[in-house]
Amino acid sequence: MNKCINWNLREKILERDKFTCQKCKLGDELGTKLEVHHITPLYSDGKDDLDNLITLCLDCHHYAPNNKEEFEEYMKDEMDGTLTTLVKAWSKVRREHPELFKES
């Protein structure tokens, strides 16, 4: 998690984004695999406000550029590579075998 963002603001962003990575659509109701990203970085006069923050999973956040223009292009690109394959496979198994995801 980004240590610069307070917990209350982080929770608001996660709730707004429905606890879902806005890049790959990975959902995590507990938020343990999600981080909050500054679209315009703090060092470029970005602010800790709702319009400048977005929910990303750990992997998508790792590859997210720290430049607003590059980040906007990054968000336009469809996911590809290993993460895409993994997410698609996980979604298919979850859809076809929901019994595997029932809580005990």
Side-chain angles (χ1 to χ4, degrees):
M1 183 191 84
N2 186 332
K3 292 179 173 67
C4 296
I5 299 172
N6 75 52
W7 281 99
N8 290 332
L9 181 57
R10 179 181 189 273
E11 194 69 18
K12 285 180 185 177
I13 301 302
L14 294 176
E15 287 174 3
R16 179 199 66 196
D17 293 340
K18 298 179 176 41
F19 289 84
T20 301
C21 174
Q22 298 303 291
K23 173 73 172 167
C24 72
K25 306 305 180 210
L26 174 75
D28 177 16
E29 293 177 9
L30 298 177
T32 58
K33 297 176 181 126
L34 300 173
E35 296 183 341
V36 175
H37 175 77
H38 286 89
I39 297 167
T40 299
L42 293 174
Y43 65 79
S44 294
D45 295 324
K47 306 289 182 221
D48 282 342
D49 60 39
L50 296 176
D51 294 333
N52 189 44
L53 297 168
I54 190 169
T55 302
L56 296 175
C57 70
L58 298 170
D59 290 326
C60 291
H61 194 207
H62 177 77
Y63 293 105
N66 285 324
N67 171 289
K68 183 179 181 180
E69 291 77 22
E70 290 177 16
F71 179 75
E72 288 170 353
E73 287 300 313
Y74 170 74
M75 291 300 289
K76 289 179 189 175
D77 292 337
E78 286 190 37
M79 284 184 349
D80 57 8
T82 306
L83 183 59
T84 299
T85 303
L86 179 61
V87 169
K88 286 182 179 178
W90 179 81
S91 295
K92 181 177 181 179
V93 170
R94 187 174 183 122
R95 187 175 52 253
E96 294 178 6
H97 300 283
E99 72 278 3
L100 297 174
F101 297 91
K102 289 183 181 176
E103 300 213 13
S104 318

